Amino acid sequence: MDLKKTTAPVNTVTYNKNVIEEPTGNVYEAITIIAKRAGQINSEIKKELIEKLEEFATYNDSLEEIFENKEQIEVSKFYEKLPKAHALAVQEWLEGRIYHREAK
């Protein structure tokens, strides 16, 4: 997932209920699918963030010394500015990029 190229909004947006429920015919089912995808996106972003922060980690045995790692701060700021996982999931849903099927 390329987070730099996403068009998902960072702020709160009101969506048309009919557009959200159109693929499933049921707004609650659509929201459940979007919520599950948001959970997946959130875990992907968290995993990616932890990996990047570990690249710049410094391990000290002394608790008295606290260093500011500028690279870690910059990485953290980048991820803080990203749209939230639920906004990314809704954007994917509206673009038809989420695969779903009915359990039988």
Side-chain angles (χ1 to χ4, degrees):
M1 170 185 310
D2 193 4
L3 298 172
K4 292 181 182 178
K5 296 180 182 178
T6 186
T7 59
V10 178
N11 297 325
T12 304
V13 176
T14 303
Y15 293 101
N16 184 345
K17 178 183 84 70
N18 297 328
V19 174
I20 296 290
E21 72 181 11
E22 185 179 342
T24 61
N26 184 332
V27 70
Y28 300 108
E29 185 177 348
I31 290 176
T32 301
I33 294 167
I34 293 169
K36 287 181 182 180
R37 178 62 184 138
Q40 293 171 345
I41 291 170
N42 193 39
S43 62
E44 290 174 17
I45 291 173
K46 184 176 179 180
K47 179 181 174 187
E48 187 177 310
L49 173 62
I50 289 171
E51 288 174 358
K52 288 186 179 185
L53 289 176
E54 285 180 354
E55 290 177 16
F56 303 111
T58 57
Y59 300 102
N60 295 337
D61 292 337
S62 173
L63 295 175
E64 296 170 1
E65 297 179 23
I66 299 174
F67 294 102
E68 286 187 11
N69 192 333
K70 292 183 188 206
E71 292 85 4
Q72 285 181 330
I73 293 170
E74 291 301 318
V75 168
S76 296
K77 284 182 181 180
F78 170 76
Y79 279 92
E80 286 176 0
K81 292 178 185 176
L82 289 177
K84 302 298 180 214
H86 65 273
L88 294 167
V90 170
Q91 187 68 29
E92 287 183 2
W93 179 256
L94 295 174
E95 293 173 356
R97 296 188 293 146
I98 296 179
Y99 171 78
H100 64 93
R101 62 189 169 126
E102 291 184 28
K104 294 181 181 183

